[in-house]
Amino acid sequence: MQDTAVATSAPAARPRRRSGRREGRTAFFFLLPSLLGVLLFLVLPIIASLVLSFTNWKLLGKPAFVGFQNYIRLFTADPQFWTVLRNTLFFTVEYLVLNIIISVGLATWIASLKRGQRWFRVVFFLPTFTPGIAVAIVWMLIFAPGGFFDFIMKSLSLGVPNLLTDQTLAMQAVIIVSLWANVGYNTVLFNAALDMVPPSYLEAAKIDGASAWDRFWKIRLPLISPTLFFGTVMTAITSLQVFDQIYVMTRGGPGNATATLGYAIYQRGFQNFQMGYASSIAWVMFALIMALTALQFWLQRKWVHYDN
C-alpha cells in the first residue's frame, strides 16, 4: 500500500515543479527590463567609479592606474578637502536637526486640527514636487543683493548683511532654501504616523491627569519613533549629497564657505576634468554616508520602540 501511495504522488509532484519553473521563468521575463536598468545605470556606474578612483583619468586620454595616490592626496595634500568636509557636516547637522524639529512640530499641529488637515498636508507637501533647480533660482533672486530680502531688512532697519555674499550667513541661506523645499515630506510622513496612534491611549493619559506635553513626549513620540527613525536616516543621507542649491545660489562661495562634497565632486570632475580624483571624493562621501547610517542604526536601539 505504501509503495502504491508513493507511486501515485510522484507524478503529481512533477507537474507542480514544472509549473513552478514556468512561473519563475515568466516572472524573470517581466523583471528583466528593471534588472537591466539597475545593472546598466546603477551597478556598473558604481563599479566604474570605484575603478576610476584608483586612476588619474582626466576625461581625455587613457586612464593610468595610480593606486591610492588620489586618496593620499585627498587627505594629506588638499587643504580644501577639510574645509569642504567641515561644510558638509555643518550643513548636515543643522539641516537635519531643524528639519526634524520643524516637521514634527508641523505634523503635531496638523494632527490637532479638527478641520482642514488634508488641505494643510497638500500645502506643505507641494514644494517637494518643485524641481530643486527651480526652487534655488527663485530663492537666489529673493536673496540677491538689492533683492526682496535686502529690501525687507532695510525697511525694518535691521542692518542684516546680504546672505549670499556674507561668508558667515551664506550657508544659512542654503539651509533655509533646503528646509522650505523638503520639510513637507517629513511633515506628511510624521503626520500619517501620528494619525495611527490609538486615541484610547491619549484619552486614558488625559484622564490620569497627563498634560499635553506629557502626552506628546511620553506617548505620541515613542509610538511614532520607527517613522521618526526612518525620516531621520533618509534626511541625513540626502543632506550629505546636497548640490542643487549650492550650484545655483553660491557656486561654493563666497570663498569656500558653502562648498560641500557634492559640489567638490562636480568641480573636480566636470570643471577641472579630474575624473579619477572626483571619483575618490565620491567614495569618501559614500563611506561617510554609510558610517552615519550605521551610527544611526546603532543608536536606534536606545530610542526607537517597536510594537512586538
Side-chain angles (χ1 to χ4, degrees), residues 108-226:
T108 305
W109 174 70
I110 294 174
S112 66
L113 298 176
K114 296 182 179 179
R115 296 181 180 178
Q117 289 190 18
R118 295 181 180 179
W119 188 82
F120 280 107
R121 288 173 186 166
V122 172
V123 169
F124 287 117
F125 195 71
L126 277 178
T128 62
F129 287 104
T130 308
I133 295 294
V135 171
I137 291 175
V138 172
W139 280 96
M140 180 186 65
L141 296 175
I142 294 175
F143 288 140
F148 181 74
F149 180 81
D150 285 354
F151 172 77
I152 296 297
M153 294 299 102
K154 290 180 181 179
S155 299
L156 299 176
S157 301
L158 295 179
V160 177
N162 183 264
L163 297 184
L164 298 183
T165 59
D166 187 88
Q167 291 191 357
T168 304
L169 299 177
M171 185 62 80
Q172 302 304 317
V174 176
I175 292 174
I176 291 172
V177 175
S178 302
L179 288 172
W180 184 90
N182 301 312
V183 78
Y185 179 85
N186 281 340
T187 298
V188 174
L189 183 69
F190 298 153
N191 182 253
L194 287 171
D195 286 345
M196 298 299 292
V197 175
S200 58
Y201 292 3
L202 302 175
E203 294 173 0
K206 188 174 182 180
I207 293 174
D208 290 340
S211 63
W213 173 253
D214 289 335
R215 294 196 299 273
F216 169 77
W217 189 256
K218 297 181 179 180
I219 298 177
R220 283 186 161 184
L221 206 58
L223 289 176
I224 70 168
S225 58

Side-chain angles (χ1 to χ4, degrees), residues 3-287:
D3 296 339
T4 304
V6 172
T8 55
S9 61
R14 292 174 184 172
R16 293 178 184 174
R17 293 176 183 174
R18 292 176 182 174
S19 63
R21 292 174 183 174
R22 191 180 303 111
E23 291 176 357
R25 288 193 295 268
T26 303
F28 179 77
F29 175 77
F30 282 105
L31 290 174
L32 186 60
S34 298
L35 293 175
L36 289 176
V38 172
L39 179 64
L40 292 175
F41 300 107
L42 184 62
V43 177
L44 291 181
I46 290 176
I47 296 174
S49 67
L50 179 60
V51 174
L52 285 176
S53 68
F54 297 102
T55 69
N56 66 348
W57 190 43
K58 296 183 179 180
L59 197 61
L60 299 176
K62 295 181 179 180
F65 181 77
V66 296
F68 291 94
Q69 288 186 12
N70 286 330
Y71 294 95
I72 296 173
R73 172 189 170 190
L74 190 64
F75 288 103
T76 61
D78 190 350
Q80 293 184 355
F81 170 74
W82 298 106
T83 300
V84 167
L85 181 62
R86 183 174 61 252
N87 292 340
T88 304
L89 294 176
F90 177 82
F91 173 88
T92 299
V93 172
E94 183 173 347
Y95 170 75
L96 177 63
V97 172
L98 291 177
N99 188 306
I100 298 301
I101 291 176
I102 294 173
S103 57
V104 169
L106 290 174
T108 305
W109 174 70
I110 294 174
S112 66
L113 298 176
K114 296 182 179 179
R115 296 181 180 178
Q117 289 190 18
R118 295 181 180 179
W119 188 82
F120 280 107
R121 288 173 186 166
V122 172
V123 169
F124 287 117
F125 195 71
L126 277 178
T128 62
F129 287 104
T130 308
I133 295 294
V135 171
I137 291 175
V138 172
W139 280 96
M140 180 186 65
L141 296 175
I142 294 175
F143 288 140
F148 181 74
F149 180 81
D150 285 354
F151 172 77
I152 296 297
M153 294 299 102
K154 290 180 181 179
S155 299
L156 299 176
S157 301
L158 295 179
V160 177
N162 183 264
L163 297 184
L164 298 183
T165 59
D166 187 88
Q167 291 191 357
T168 304
L169 299 177
M171 185 62 80
Q172 302 304 317
V174 176
I175 292 174
I176 291 172
V177 175
S178 302
L179 288 172
W180 184 90
N182 301 312
V183 78
Y185 179 85
N186 281 340
T187 298
V188 174
L189 183 69
F190 298 153
N191 182 253
L194 287 171
D195 286 345
M196 298 299 292
V197 175
S200 58
Y201 292 3
L202 302 175
E203 294 173 0
K206 188 174 182 180
I207 293 174
D208 290 340
S211 63
W213 173 253
D214 289 335
R215 294 196 299 273
F216 169 77
W217 189 256
K218 297 181 179 180
I219 298 177
R220 283 186 161 184
L221 206 58
L223 289 176
I224 70 168
S225 58
T227 306
L228 191 63
F229 171 69
F230 172 79
T232 302
V233 171
M234 297 305 296
T235 304
I237 291 174
T238 56
S239 61
L240 286 169
Q241 303 176 65
V242 60
F243 172 75
D244 293 351
Q245 304 91 310
I246 292 172
Y247 174 77
V248 174
M249 297 176 62
T250 64
R251 297 295 176 96
N256 288 318
T258 60
T260 59
L261 288 173
Y263 186 76
I265 293 171
Y266 162 78
Q267 192 175 42
R268 296 291 186 177
F270 297 97
Q271 288 186 341
N272 300 337
F273 304 111
Q274 300 174 357
M275 299 301 295
Y277 193 62
S279 297
S280 65
I281 300 176
W283 275 92
V284 169
M285 183 171 69
F286 174 76

